[in-house]
Amino acid sequence: MTRVIKGIAASEGYAFAKAYRLIHPNLTVIERSIEQEELEIERFHTSLNKVRLDLEKIKKKVVEQQGSENAGIFDAHLMILKDPELVSETEKEVKEKKVNVEVALKSVTDRFIALFEQMDNEYMRERATDIKDVRKRILAYLLDVSLPNPGLINEEVIIVTDDLTPSDTAQINKKFVRAFITNIGGPTSHSAIMARSLGIPAVVGTKKASEIINNGDYLIVDGLEGNIQINPTSDIVEKYKSLSSKFKKEKLELEIFKYKPTLTRDHVKVELGANIGSLQEIDNVINSGAEAIGLYRTEFLYMEKSKLPTEDEQFQAYKTVLEKMNGKPVVVRTLDIGGDKHLPYWDLQGEMNPFLGLRAIRLTLKERDIFRTQLRALLRASNYGKLKIMFPMVATIEEFREAKMLLKEEEHNLIEEGHTVKNDLEVGIMVEIPSTVILADHFAKEVDFFSIGTNDLIQYTFAADRMNESVSSLYQPYSPAILRLIKMVIDAAHKQGKKVGMCGEMAGDSIAIPLLIGLGLDEFSMSSSSILRARSQINKLSKADMKILVEKALTLQSYDEVQELVESEINRIFVV
Amino acid sequence: MVTKTFTVITNEGLHARPATLLVSESSKYKSNIFIEYNEKQVSAKSILGVMSLGIHPRSNFSIKIDGVDEEKAIEGIEDLLNKERIAE
């Protein structure tokens, strides 16, 4: 009978191959008191030397087999190995505490690891893994145990391990590995990240996979659901083979759309963008086929620090995003905190009704210094790409005018100070408050663009909290009420020759997309992973037909009726 | 004893490649070489030490060198920092 193990799905796809167990030995360190420090120090240096020789040998082999880019990690490890602080601190502890060098080494490296794991830069946090990797090698020699040698793998296998170190993955000949299975770890652990960048499935955090699976067991790894079939029967194999080819086919179909513009079947062009919160997501965006960033949530810049980010820190971040997007538009939303989003170092008064309280633009118009700092950073960054600025939660025209005035003041100041500011900077607003929708015709004369924030717009319209289970059924994205509001905004904007985008979840929703195309939405911004699917869907829709569809939807009375209408239309189109 | 102050101009601060280059260069010399930032001082020959300082872009740091080849060392280091556009 087939045995199934479950874990956390960390990288999608399906794999079919033999298990290869890559087990790291127990490197638990036991404290001993010692008498001859010199002997301990000698042991230490002997081990350091052996590790150095190993790393140099491995590096050479990796360069031969895979080229020199993958070998960089061994240079880093070699450098750590001869770090004078590491060596001298370890020796010092042996001498002062009179303990065996294993304990001294662990204690010294633990301090460095803790230091790095706390740093505010992801690259630095990952360096802690490098220190652990090098330490493992030194301890292995000191404890006289052997480490596994992943460079030996020479046939198609699925690796089953407690956890993979960076030097493990650097040595593995990529053409032989079909998937990773680990006992520990989560979606952000090294093995998960490696698997995703190699495009192979991974299931992590299985707890005991390496104890249950034997070398040579035939495995099916399901990286979408996070489970593993061990020695499956032939009908299970068939089931998964067919799931696998469906998955591959869909992926291939979507790949075609990566660099294509987004066009409807009747050749109407729209723009698909990505929503991001932090700089780390940029690489995904570039790979996802996005034509723009439709929403850059700047709160994360404020949340990931222990104090307010300075103008320079913000400038660096905005500049980086603009440069990486290489001329593609980036819509930056000014600070949107308050309500449920707090900063640990900024004491905002608790409110009875945070969602209806002092947040977003209301807060920044009150705390002008903080707002001005952000605006200055944005204006300075504008020279490095195509920046668009938008203000969140605007409820009245006065708020927009005030915010714009502050922006102009800082632009003037910067120019006086000798900076340059790009002169085609577009300034717009998020449309999420009903009053703004209703007066869209007035706003349309003064803003450069709108971006509809459906998440909040829907909540404010139905007066219901989508996170509150007892009323969340009132969160109705395709209710005719919402469709009419969206139409109001789009018509008002188009009358003034302005464009409308959407950055709420609705923009990526496959039931909403046909309706939004019909309503004439110009830009759809969503999470990067949805972009190709959305482009593929839009490719099959005709705007002319969707116009007719949405006109019908606008006359309906309820969310359910709209959903039924669209679903039957979609089935009709996609069956053809 | 030779001391010189620099301002970081690379976007990533003194992390990753810049740190590695600085440590490599410093390790060539006999003198004691220290890097000081935010009231912390570490040996510039220690990759872990340098990286753990977490030197941010646009901030200042000092290099202090004491030893027989201190003149050559400061020259070599300054050269590297300028050429690789790490600091000035």
Side-chain angles (χ1 to χ4, degrees):
Chain A
M1 218 193 58
T2 313
R3 179 143 183 208
V4 182
I5 325 182
K6 289 200 197 308
I8 303 172
S11 176
E12 47 172 36
Y14 298 92
F16 305 79
K18 287 197 315 214
Y20 180 96
R21 292 177 73 244
L22 192 79
I23 305 303
H24 298 97
N26 189 336
L27 291 172
T28 316
V29 152
I30 303 176
E31 183 165 322
R32 282 183 291 116
S33 60
I34 50 125
E35 311 227 317
Q36 298 174 282
E37 299 109 53
E38 289 317 309
L39 234 68
E40 283 303 293
I41 305 231
E42 216 190 287
R43 282 179 65 218
F44 183 41
H45 284 273
T46 307
S47 300
L48 289 176
N49 247 338
K50 288 191 181 158
V51 174
R52 185 177 53 81
L53 289 170
D54 277 352
L55 286 176
E56 284 169 358
K57 211 161 69 176
I58 294 173
K59 175 183 167 189
K60 192 154 169 266
K61 187 154 173 243
V62 168
V63 169
E64 278 166 25
Q65 277 184 3
Q66 301 176 42
S68 50
E69 326 90 53
N70 287 327
I73 190 181
F74 296 109
D75 286 328
H77 288 188
L78 281 163
M79 210 174 225
I80 294 177
L81 201 61
K82 59 178 174 107
D83 188 314
E85 298 284 301
L86 179 67
V87 175
S88 64
E89 299 262 310
T90 304
E91 291 177 351
K92 197 165 134 206
E93 265 202 43
V94 168
K95 290 185 187 144
E96 287 178 6
K97 300 199 180 147
K98 295 215 188 298
V99 287
N100 46 334
V101 68
E102 292 90 335
V103 165
L105 178 66
K106 181 142 199 309
S107 145
V108 169
T109 46
D110 274 347
R111 280 203 297 275
F112 275 114
I113 289 168
L115 238 173
F116 280 82
E117 280 177 346
Q118 275 178 30
M119 294 183 86
D120 61 6
N121 175 309
E122 161 132 359
Y123 174 86
M124 298 308 284
R125 288 197 292 271
E126 279 169 25
R127 300 287 60 77
T129 320
D130 284 331
I131 304 174
K132 289 181 191 166
D133 197 337
V134 174
R135 174 172 76 184
K136 261 194 182 134
R137 290 187 179 274
I138 305 172
L139 285 177
Y141 272 116
L142 288 171
L143 297 172
D144 201 20
V145 290
S146 43
L147 292 177
N149 185 349
L152 291 176
I153 298 175
N154 58 4
E155 47 174 357
E156 273 193 24
V157 294
I158 289 174
I159 294 192
V160 180
T161 178
D162 41 335
D163 195 16
L164 283 171
T165 63
S167 62
D168 284 336
T169 48
Q171 288 179 74
I172 294 173
N173 197 331
K174 312 294 186 279
K175 64 182 192 195
F176 293 129
V177 179
R178 291 281 148 267
F180 293 134
I181 298 173
T182 67
N183 291 352
I184 61 176
T188 56
S189 59
H190 174 72
S191 358
I193 295 172
M194 249 294 111
R196 287 197 292 268
S197 77
L198 291 173
I200 60 176
V203 176
V204 302
T206 58
K207 306 220 172 74
K208 303 214 279 193
S210 67
E211 291 169 41
I212 300 173
I213 300 175
N214 295 316
N215 259 330
D217 278 342
Y218 184 73
L219 305 174
I220 303 179
V221 173
D222 177 350
L224 283 123
E225 295 293 315
N227 51 38
I228 301 149
Q229 317 283 326
I230 308 177
N231 293 324
T233 57
S234 51
D235 34 329
I236 304 257
V237 174
E238 236 187 84
K239 167 180 165 208
Y240 276 98
K241 290 262 179 183
S242 115
L243 283 172
S244 176
S245 45
K246 185 161 168 270
F247 173 75
K248 285 196 192 140
K249 183 161 170 274
E250 282 170 7
K251 217 156 173 240
L252 223 63
E253 282 173 2
L254 290 185
E255 276 302 298
I256 303 174
F257 285 100
K258 210 192 229 183
Y259 299 113
K260 288 190 167 183
T262 314
L263 291 172
T264 63
R265 215 177 67 220
D266 47 356
H267 307 293
V268 173
K269 189 174 184 318
V270 295
E271 183 186 85
L272 290 189
N275 296 340
I276 63 165
S278 71
L279 290 185
Q280 294 155 16
E281 297 171 62
I282 292 276
D283 291 330
N284 268 343
V285 169
I286 297 173
N287 255 327
S288 68
E291 299 162 71
I293 286 177
L295 169 62
Y296 175 11
R297 302 179 179 100
T298 56
E299 299 69 71
F300 288 91
L301 270 179
Y302 292 77
M303 290 181 346
E304 63 187 18
K305 300 210 175 293
S306 49
K307 54 181 174 56
L308 287 171
T310 63
E311 182 184 312
D312 278 340
E313 284 170 343
Q314 290 190 55
F315 165 66
Q316 287 297 332
Y318 305 142
K319 173 172 179 275
T320 305
V321 175
L322 286 166
E323 282 174 333
K324 287 204 169 178
M325 288 303 286
N326 212 2
K328 299 198 182 81
V330 176
V331 182
V332 180
R333 180 178 71 187
T334 60
L335 185 57
D336 187 354
I337 52 143
D340 54 337
K341 291 183 267 202
H342 280 275
L343 297 174
Y345 48 84
W346 188 356
D347 207 10
L348 294 166
Q349 299 279 47
E351 298 173 301
M352 286 292 286
N353 252 321
F355 275 100
L356 303 180
L358 187 70
R359 47 187 290 224
I361 195 71
R362 304 161 181 189
L363 184 57
T364 51
L365 284 175
K366 181 156 180 273
E367 302 288 343
R368 292 197 167 191
D369 287 338
I370 296 177
F371 196 30
R372 284 183 193 274
T373 303
Q374 181 170 44
L375 294 175
R376 285 175 61 93
L378 285 167
L379 288 164
R380 283 169 58 196
S382 69
N383 297 304
Y384 295 91
K386 185 145 178 49
L387 175 66
K388 292 160 78 158
I389 299 179
M390 76 179 168
F391 305 124
M393 267 199 87
V394 171
T396 65
I397 199 100
E398 288 97 328
E399 282 173 338
F400 175 69
R401 287 177 185 156
E402 242 188 279
K404 192 154 179 208
M405 182 195 71
L406 289 171
L407 184 68
K408 286 289 162 201
E409 273 178 27
E410 289 311 324
E411 182 179 357
H412 180 78
N413 289 340
L414 284 168
I415 293 176
E416 293 256 292
E417 291 163 29
H419 293 273
T420 42
V421 171
K422 228 168 178 209
N423 59 8
D424 63 347
L425 190 53
E426 283 186 41
V427 182
I429 60 171
M430 281 207 49
V431 180
E432 34 193 348
I433 297 186
S435 59
T436 302
V437 175
I438 296 167
L439 293 184
D441 55 340
H442 290 308
F443 279 97
K445 294 184 185 131
E446 297 186 28
V447 305
D448 292 325
F449 65 91
F450 288 129
S451 183
I452 305 178
T454 50
N455 297 3
D456 279 341
L457 180 62
I458 296 167
Q459 294 190 102
Y460 292 133
T461 303
F462 286 99
D465 179 355
R466 65 190 295 207
M467 302 305 239
N468 180 341
E469 277 168 22
S470 40
V471 297
S472 57
S473 60
L474 285 174
Y475 183 87
Q476 302 181 355
Y478 353 109
S479 153
I482 302 297
L483 297 178
R484 289 187 191 185
L485 292 176
I486 295 173
K487 181 176 163 60
M488 216 185 243
V489 176
I490 295 178
D491 289 349
H494 287 175
K495 202 158 164 211
Q496 300 293 332
K498 310 279 170 74
K499 290 208 171 153
V500 181
M502 181 180 286
C503 54
E505 266 172 43
M506 195 173 159
D509 182 311
S510 52
I511 305 261
I513 286 175
L515 297 166
L516 297 169
I517 293 282
L519 287 168
L521 188 67
D522 304 297
E523 289 146 20
F524 297 65
S525 198
M526 59 197 74
S527 82
S528 343
S529 50
S530 305
I531 290 177
L532 291 182
R533 187 192 36 80
R535 184 169 293 146
S536 153
Q537 181 181 18
I538 293 172
N539 195 249
K540 301 188 174 78
L541 304 170
S542 128
K543 181 170 176 183
D545 289 344
M546 293 306 102
K547 255 185 110 178
I548 299 172
L549 179 73
V550 82
E551 266 157 38
K552 215 188 288 175
L554 288 164
T555 66
L556 296 174
Q557 296 180 345
S558 74
Y559 173 60
D560 287 337
E561 287 175 24
V562 173
Q563 184 158 4
E564 259 180 60
L565 173 71
V566 177
E567 274 173 352
S568 63
E569 177 70 12
I570 291 182
N571 284 335
R572 203 182 55 77
I573 297 175
F574 291 101
V575 156
V576 167
Chain B
M1 169 88 116
V2 161
T3 308
K4 199 141 191 214
T5 310
F6 296 90
T7 308
V8 180
I9 52 179
T10 167
N11 267 336
E12 47 186 323
L14 219 68
H15 305 331
R17 193 166 169 270
T20 311
L21 291 171
L22 177 61
V23 171
S24 279
E25 181 67 24
S26 305
S27 303
K28 291 184 191 160
Y29 305 101
K30 295 202 181 72
S31 308
N32 288 325
I33 306 181
F34 297 99
I35 174 167
E36 194 189 300
Y37 173 73
N38 248 357
E39 311 196 344
K40 287 186 284 194
Q41 187 175 275
V42 297
S43 161
K45 300 180 187 179
S46 160
I47 186 68
L48 294 178
V50 172
M51 293 214 288
S52 72
L53 286 178
I55 301 179
H56 284 128
R58 301 181 72 85
S59 46
N60 293 337
F61 64 91
S62 311
I63 302 272
K64 282 198 177 92
I65 312 185
D66 193 16
V68 287
D69 51 4
E70 60 188 41
E71 293 295 331
K72 267 183 75 190
I74 190 63
E75 229 185 85
I77 290 175
E78 186 166 10
D79 227 28
L80 170 80
L81 294 175
N82 284 332
K83 258 214 318 240
E84 296 286 335
R85 311 274 306 139
I86 298 172
E88 56 191 9

